[in-house]
Structure formats: C-alpha cells, structure tokens
Amino acid sequence: MSKKKKIIVLASMVALLVLTGCLNYFLNRPATQTANAEATLTYSDYFAASRADRAAARAETVSYYNMIKNDAASSAEAKANAEAELAAIADGINTEQRLETLIKSLGFDDCIVTVGKEKINVIVKSDALTEQETAQLLDMVCTETGKTIDYVRVKSIDL
C-alpha cells in the first residue's frame, strides 16, 4: 500500500473517531439532564419519598407474612410467628403515625418517624434543633412509646 493511501485511511479513521465521540456526547447529554432533574426532585421532596419507600417496603413484608399465614403447608408455629409479626407491624404503623402527628403539633413543618426493633428514628424538617426542641422530641417519643432515650435517635434536615 502506498504512503498516500495509508494517510487517507488514517485520516478517515481519525474523522470517524471524532464523529463517534461527538455523537456519544450529544446522545447522552439529555439522559444526564433527566437524571439530574429526578435526583433534585427526590431530594427536594425527601419526606414524601421516604414515606413512599417505607410504605413499599412494609407492603412487601406484609405480603410475605400473609403468604406464610395463608399457606396450607406452613406449620402452626410459622403461622403464629407470621401473625405476631403482622401485629408488630400494625403497632409500628400506629406509633409512627401518632408520633408524626404529635411532632407536627410542636410546630415542625414535616417529619418522618420509623419504629424498628432496635431504634426509633425521628427526622424533622428544621435548620437546626435547639436543646429545648431536642428535649421536647425525646420526651414525647419516650412518653408515647415507653422506651428510654438510648432507644431514640433525633435528627434535623433542612431541605
């Protein structure tokens, strides 16, 4: 192959490489903007997204326990455990709703409470919690649940 043909082939390959890079950039740019818009939406609506995630996870768990409870092949012990877990979930839901209502009555714009076996997590919408606000929240949660302060975590988020 002559030197002139080699230069033409090499120049064509470089042009195709540049064209591929440009196409890649322009085709992926709208997808990146969409992803950033979704991330901003999720971040700005943290409390609603957290509630939706909590409800979805809980629905899956309830479905699992109902399946065990209604399965003829399940043992009596498994059915009793499923019943106990479903009762605990219902109790947790009631506690979370009651605490969220009480916390909002203290003047916080929004909050989310999650009641687990190990901890109760309270997240409130606030620039920063004062010592008095933290004490009020801890007192309210401990009074309503009968748990000690060691069992409760309180955090504020400013969105």
Side-chain angles (χ1 to χ4, degrees):
M1 201 167 28
S2 71
K3 189 174 181 177
K4 190 174 186 179
K5 286 183 181 181
K6 288 180 184 179
I7 292 174
I8 292 173
V9 169
L10 184 62
S12 299
M13 293 175 113
V14 169
L16 286 173
L17 182 64
V18 170
L19 178 64
T20 303
C22 290
L23 284 173
N24 186 32
Y25 173 77
F26 288 113
L27 292 175
N28 287 326
R29 188 175 56 177
T32 303
Q33 289 174 347
T34 303
N36 288 340
E38 290 172 7
T40 302
L41 177 65
T42 302
Y43 182 75
S44 68
D45 206 2
Y46 170 81
F47 293 100
S50 294
R51 283 187 192 93
D53 290 345
R54 179 178 67 185
R58 192 171 282 143
E60 187 176 323
T61 303
V62 167
S63 173
Y64 171 74
Y65 286 124
N66 279 329
M67 186 177 66
I68 291 172
K69 188 177 85 169
N70 297 328
D71 189 2
S74 295
S75 68
E77 184 181 349
K79 288 181 179 184
N81 286 339
E83 284 285 338
E85 289 296 326
L86 287 169
I89 290 170
D91 186 46
I93 291 170
N94 290 334
T95 302
E96 289 169 353
Q97 289 174 341
R98 188 174 66 249
L99 287 172
E100 287 176 0
T101 301
L102 290 170
I103 291 168
K104 288 178 185 177
S105 75
L106 291 175
F108 292 100
D109 291 336
D110 207 350
C111 68
I112 188 156
V113 176
T114 55
V115 176
K117 291 181 180 182
E118 298 296 320
K119 293 279 183 190
I120 296 175
N121 295 300
V122 178
I123 302 171
V124 295
K125 185 175 182 182
S126 174
D127 293 337
L129 291 172
T130 65
E131 287 183 26
Q132 182 181 5
E133 290 172 330
T134 303
Q136 281 180 321
L137 290 169
L138 287 171
D139 180 56
M140 180 184 296
V141 172
C142 291
T143 301
E144 288 296 315
T145 62
K147 303 292 183 184
T148 63
I149 291 175
D150 297 332
Y151 194 78
V152 181
R153 290 187 205 151
V154 176
K155 181 176 173 144
S156 66
I157 315 178
D158 181 32
L159 301 175

